[in-house]
Amino acid sequence: MPLRLILAAGMILGWILKSTGGAAPLASTDWAMFGGPNGDGTSSEHGLMRTWEKGGPPVVWRAPIKQGWGAPSIAGNDIYFGSTEQLNGGQETIVCLATDSGKERWHYTYDVGPYWERNIGWPRGGFRGTPLVTDKFVVTLGAVGHLHCLDRSNGQVIWKKNLYDEFVPAGEKGCSFSPVLAGGVLVLWYGDGTYEAKDPDHHFVLCRGVRLETGEVLWTFREPHRDPARMGEGQTPAVANFAGDPCVVVTANCELKALRASDGKPVWMFDCIKHDARSTTIPTPLILDRYIVDIPDQDAAHVVEVDREHLEKPTRVVWKKDINVFCAIHQFRHHDGFLYGFTGEMQGESEQTASDSKMNLVCIELATGKIRWTQPNFKTGVAIIEADGLLFVRTYQTLRLIEATPDGYHVLGEVHTHNNRKASQNLTDFVSPILSRGKLYVRTPGELICYQVAR
């Protein structure tokens, strides 16, 4: 091999090891955490079917499962997810299935008590988090704060704790964020509006770094909540390097913040959300090199430009405009300079109201905010991922294959995934599909379906 190629390979390997804290990353075809291999709902997989025949792609298997709103995660030949045994709580279960057959490898069930005692609000059937999978462990967070680190091979408990014993995360939906790994540190983003279990009247911003192997708390970032902003809920952090250090990026107190994973210290902050809006946004910040896409609640969507290597240089808002986004669940997906995602109003007065909401799928120029096309009437459908220039989109008990192009809305296939008339269970269409090794996995109220989508 020529010397220049050896040196280039060494530089790339060094960057990978630094960004992962020295831990060997899982293969790019794994979908082993919230947001997938890139943390942004996209995958580098290619060779996927460009069209589907009538009836959709081939079904590899269907596995009966129980209710939950957390997307599964895949590592190697294993798929992991959390479920709720009863709609009102009682018990939660972590399950591991074989990706080739859907057969159960192991499950672990634990008591949580009735959900109503924690006032986690709608929808019922609670489990929201996406598992984090490493080479040895699977880390899960249940609806009412039960954090588990399990042996990936057999489901045995390595360590566990209940977050609610000490702090109650922000919002009315219980724990609706997912644990992430940054620089080898397990990061828990409680949100803006957290309070101590014994003092519910005083709210603050809280993020914690935990030792993955033991559950030991390594650091705590805490700052007072700033009025008049409304308190936020449900955001999973983004992971990215700032000034060469692995960091998590969140919104809190109406600012974008980058917290260093090694010690929790803020290394960069930018005031970009109006101060009477919601202080923490629901969608994870989308980091695209020097751009950060932010979709706040009660303020206009915007793109921020930052020099992540030279933090002393000024940060600026590239564009900020009202594109009619209310209570977004998922972040936009990026492909070739364009953003694809949902606008419109997802009303939250009740399960039925949310189930009846209709959204618009749009294509937006990343650099300008110009909307290139809009397609209406995506009922209960805000779950979307991108791979190989294709969008996999859920909308009211169907899955659509859509071309990721600014030239217009082009449907390349559709499949009906399930039938259901209960409003609370219709909201399972919120759950993101996931992609690994040419197979697409879709969670419904009663099944996990594996489709073959590779050519």
Side-chain angles (χ1 to χ4, degrees), residues 196-455:
E196 293 184 9
K198 297 180 180 180
D199 184 12
D201 297 326
H202 296 89
H203 298 84
F204 46 86
V205 175
L206 185 67
C207 187
R208 285 189 136 178
V210 175
R211 191 180 303 281
L212 175 63
E213 297 79 5
T214 65
E216 172 194 0
V217 175
L218 300 174
W219 52 260
T220 299
F221 171 80
R222 176 171 171 168
E223 66 180 14
H225 169 76
R226 299 174 192 164
D227 292 326
R230 292 183 59 189
M231 290 173 283
E233 63 185 0
Q235 185 184 76
T236 297
V239 179
N241 279 10
F242 278 72
D245 292 321
C247 296
V248 290
V249 181
V250 298
T251 54
N253 278 323
C254 301
E255 296 176 323
L256 277 165
K257 299 177 186 286
L259 308 179
R260 193 162 48 215
S262 60
D263 57 12
K265 302 295 184 184
V267 299
W268 172 81
M269 294 181 289
F270 185 62
D271 192 340
C272 54
I273 302 172
K274 65 181 183 180
H275 293 178
D276 59 348
R278 192 181 293 272
S279 51
T280 289
T281 67
I282 296 174
T284 299
L286 175 59
I287 302 174
L288 303 169
D289 194 18
R290 69 183 189 278
Y291 292 134
I292 302 178
V293 182
D294 195 22
I295 309 178
D297 194 4
Q298 301 177 326
D299 195 5
H302 49 272
V303 169
V304 169
E305 184 179 36
V306 57
D307 189 327
R308 288 165 48 199
E309 293 300 321
H310 304 91
L311 300 181
E312 71 279 2
K313 292 185 177 181
T315 300
R316 71 182 184 99
V317 175
V318 178
W319 58 263
K320 184 173 186 176
K321 60 176 60 178
D322 185 1
I323 56 175
N324 186 30
V325 177
F326 178 78
C327 277
I329 305 299
H330 292 284
Q331 177 59 270
F332 286 97
R333 308 310 184 198
H334 173 257
H335 179 69
D336 282 352
F338 294 91
L339 303 172
Y340 301 88
F342 290 94
T343 64
E345 295 191 1
M346 180 64 68
Q347 295 289 349
E349 287 84 357
S350 68
E351 297 167 345
Q352 188 65 58
T353 303
S355 178
D356 290 339
S357 296
K358 292 184 179 181
M359 309 288 282
N360 307 309
L361 181 64
V362 301
C363 171
I364 301 175
E365 291 183 359
L366 171 63
T368 66
K370 178 182 178 181
I371 296 180
R372 295 292 294 266
W373 55 259
T374 300
Q375 182 68 26
N377 295 323
F378 279 78
K379 182 179 178 182
T380 324
V382 292
I384 177 173
I385 64 172
E386 184 278 336
D388 203 13
L390 300 168
L391 305 173
F392 299 87
V393 184
R394 299 189 68 175
T395 174
Y396 196 64
Q397 304 176 15
T398 64
L399 176 72
R400 291 182 189 171
L401 181 69
I402 300 168
E403 185 179 6
T405 174
D407 297 335
Y409 174 74
H410 303 298
V411 178
L412 306 176
E414 180 173 307
V415 59
H416 185 77
T417 55
H418 64 285
N419 293 301
N420 186 72
R421 294 186 178 182
K422 295 182 179 179
S424 61
Q425 294 182 354
N426 275 340
L427 298 177
T428 309
D429 284 320
F430 286 179
V431 179
S432 174
I434 66 170
L435 176 70
S436 177
R437 296 170 178 84
K439 296 183 176 65
L440 191 79
Y441 302 82
V442 176
R443 181 173 198 160
T444 76
E447 288 184 316
L448 185 63
I449 309 173
C450 174
Y451 295 101
Q452 179 72 37
V453 294
R455 283 181 284 189

